[in-house]
Amino acid sequence: MSKIILTGDRPTGKLHIGHYVGSLKRRVELQNTGEYDDIFIMIADAQALTDNADNPEKVRQNIVEVALDYLSCGLDPAVSTIFIQSMVPQLTELSFYYMNLVTVSRLQRNPTVKAEIQMRNFEASIPVGFFTYPISQAADITAFKATVVPVGEDQMPMIEQTKEIVHKFNYVYGETLVDPKIMLPDNKACLRLPGTDGSAKMSKSLGNCIYLSDSEQDVQKKIMSMFTDPTHLRVEDPGHVEGNPVFIYLDAFCRDEHFAEFWPEYQNLQEVKDHYTRGGLGDVKVKRFLNSVMQAELAPIRERRAQWEKDIPAVYEILKKGSERAEAVAAQTLAEVREAMKINYFDDMALIKEQAERYK
Ligand code: ATP
Ligand code: MG
């Protein structure tokens, strides 16, 4: 069986280091293994509009930002098909058919959607499109016959929902859709990177992000003013590393070789954690180290971005070509879906003949 990847991001802002460790970095690594037959990376503008209907300009502006972030992280358009969701209308049609296979109560149980509804104060009036976005995500994944979906932990319920739709569809209409597998980050710290303010998730919508496109100075400023352990008041006080975002970022980004380069007093992160927990290690020192580690990771991304920023028309051309290719692939799946659902009236010679016989 072919190995196919589908994943993507909502163009609701520039991409941040949570996206990077949660999914983007993994995609680039998977792309570079050469083991995948096809890789589709989607900029989910239609999904972004489900909770930004009154702000289409935000979505429109951020498409190129997300594309620039992709290219600067090393997604290669010659290998990975980068496309815009709304440019592939087959996805909307698939969603409409899948809606018949999902109940309202099932959608209401989706924990990520529940949390997002609360975060957006949608409790009193949820847009129908937003409520049903897990179904449209199933359309995105199945349209490309994806076998693997590399995403952050918050996407687990979406992949579960997709699998249920696949099973139900195949049961009712015959084996047609491919059952996808989620691929979560191996590193626990990367499952759901917290915000710089210490809140549970770094999120574009919460304004607690370090962006891949932030300048060196901005990254430094954000790191030096990060939330840490609020009980660690004086340097000599014992500190907590659990739930401390500075240490979670170090878990996500730092490698042993960073110590030799930036902080030779320690050999590895465990030694730093032990010292911090014992007391006697100040937050500023740890933050300075984190800053060095982050700058080392982000500098090449920033440089590649600066190159691509000089040729924005080329970026749009990549998206156009990618969208055309994605549409051709999705059209093939849609044809198979229509045939399985018996709504391929004009292509079904047997049906035409049968009806003709009936009226003889
Ligand atoms: P929005 O607030 O608009 O939903 P977002 O920051 O949650 O934006 P998405 O575009 O919804 O970003 O998510 C894109 C991908 O990045 C998904 O695979 C998601 O799991 C992953 N991701 C998002 N935030 C994080 C995070 N803080 N840690 C790890 N992965 C994340
Ligand atoms: Mg999100």
Side-chain angles (χ1 to χ4, degrees):
M1 197 170 85
S2 318
K3 289 171 79 176
I4 299 172
I5 290 176
L6 177 285
T7 186
D9 305 272
R10 295 152 39 94
T12 49
K14 296 176 173 189
L15 298 184
H16 54 63
I17 59 170
H19 300 119
Y20 181 68
V21 294
S23 172
L24 193 45
K25 194 175 177 190
R26 188 66 165 281
R27 291 176 213 172
V28 176
E29 286 164 7
L30 294 172
Q31 167 194 274
N32 295 342
T33 62
E35 282 175 15
Y36 287 83
D37 300 290
D38 234 330
I39 301 175
F40 295 93
I41 310 289
M42 181 181 80
I43 303 182
D45 64 332
Q47 189 188 118
L49 284 167
T50 64
D51 58 329
N52 290 282
D54 54 356
N55 201 354
E57 197 53 36
K58 170 169 137 188
V59 174
R60 181 182 168 87
Q61 294 297 332
N62 278 305
I63 285 178
V64 74
E65 298 296 343
V66 171
L68 283 166
D69 287 329
Y70 285 169
L71 295 166
S72 58
C73 285
L75 281 178
D76 176 359
V79 184
S80 300
T81 301
I82 305 174
F83 70 98
I84 303 177
Q85 186 182 26
S86 69
M87 296 293 105
V88 183
Q90 290 79 2
L91 300 176
T92 326
E93 188 173 335
L94 285 175
S95 305
F96 195 68
Y97 300 141
Y98 294 172
M99 281 185 189
N100 304 331
L101 306 176
V102 182
T103 63
V104 170
S105 64
R106 175 65 185 88
L107 287 174
Q108 279 167 334
R109 282 201 306 276
N110 185 312
T112 299
V113 176
K114 261 193 199 166
E116 288 175 339
I117 285 172
Q118 217 175 18
M119 201 173 98
R120 289 163 176 73
N121 291 322
F122 274 168
E123 283 99 335
S125 56
I126 313 166
V128 174
F130 184 79
F131 183 61
T132 58
Y133 91 73
I135 300 177
S136 104
Q137 244 174 272
D140 305 332
I141 294 168
T142 53
F144 300 96
K145 300 192 162 80
T147 52
V148 177
V149 188
V151 282
E153 194 186 30
D154 62 324
Q155 295 301 308
M156 259 163 87
M158 310 309 161
I159 311 302
E160 268 316 302
Q161 177 70 81
T162 301
K163 291 171 85 69
E164 281 175 35
I165 290 173
V166 168
H167 298 163
K168 182 110 192 241
F169 188 102
N170 289 348
Y171 176 74
V172 177
Y173 303 117
E175 206 60 36
T176 312
L177 303 177
V178 175
D179 200 4
K181 276 201 179 56
I182 190 168
M183 188 187 271
L184 293 172
D186 299 325
N187 182 340
K188 236 182 79 196
C190 304
L191 285 173
R192 186 178 300 235
L193 202 75
T196 50
D197 58 355
S199 72
K201 183 174 172 268
M202 180 173 286
S203 168
K204 290 177 233 139
S205 312
L206 293 176
N208 57 7
C209 308
I210 294 176
Y211 293 98
L212 293 172
S213 49
D214 277 345
S215 68
E216 192 177 334
Q217 293 76 5
D218 283 345
V219 172
Q220 183 174 3
K221 234 192 289 167
K222 288 181 183 180
I223 290 177
M224 295 317 286
S225 53
M226 262 177 83
F227 177 88
T228 61
D229 171 11
T231 66
H232 189 234
L233 297 174
R234 288 164 308 176
V235 173
E236 19 346 325
D237 291 339
H240 297 87
V241 296
E242 289 290 316
N244 182 333
V246 172
F247 281 93
I248 299 175
Y249 289 13
L250 284 173
D251 277 328
F253 285 98
C254 123
R255 297 184 298 273
D256 287 354
E257 58 265 29
H258 287 134
F259 288 91
E261 202 177 342
F262 304 121
W263 211 5
E265 286 146 273
Y266 302 91
Q267 303 223 338
N268 55 47
L269 188 54
Q270 195 52 50
E271 286 182 12
V272 179
K273 285 183 178 174
D274 290 345
H275 193 175
Y276 190 84
T277 312
R278 258 193 333 268
L281 177 56
D283 286 297
V284 171
K285 278 192 179 167
V286 188
K287 285 179 172 177
R288 278 206 195 113
F289 174 62
L290 174 62
N291 181 56
S292 304
V293 170
M294 291 304 311
Q295 300 291 359
E297 185 90 22
L298 296 178
I301 297 175
R302 209 178 283 133
E303 278 159 31
R304 269 197 301 265
R305 199 180 211 274
Q307 290 306 311
W308 280 107
E309 282 171 356
K310 288 187 197 144
D311 199 359
I312 296 296
V315 177
Y316 277 100
E317 194 53 33
I318 288 168
L319 294 177
K320 184 161 179 260
K321 288 257 161 57
S323 299
E324 283 163 6
R325 160 135 214 277
E327 182 171 7
V329 175
Q332 174 60 35
T333 306
L334 181 62
E336 292 163 20
V337 161
R338 283 171 152 271
E339 188 183 340
M341 291 180 69
K342 300 187 180 296
I343 51 176
N344 58 337
Y345 314 113
F346 306 138
D347 303 332
D348 189 350
M349 287 309 148
L351 169 72
I352 297 169
K353 218 170 125 197
E354 182 192 309
Q355 298 295 343
E357 284 297 321
R358 207 156 63 85
Y359 279 99
K360 256 201 187 135

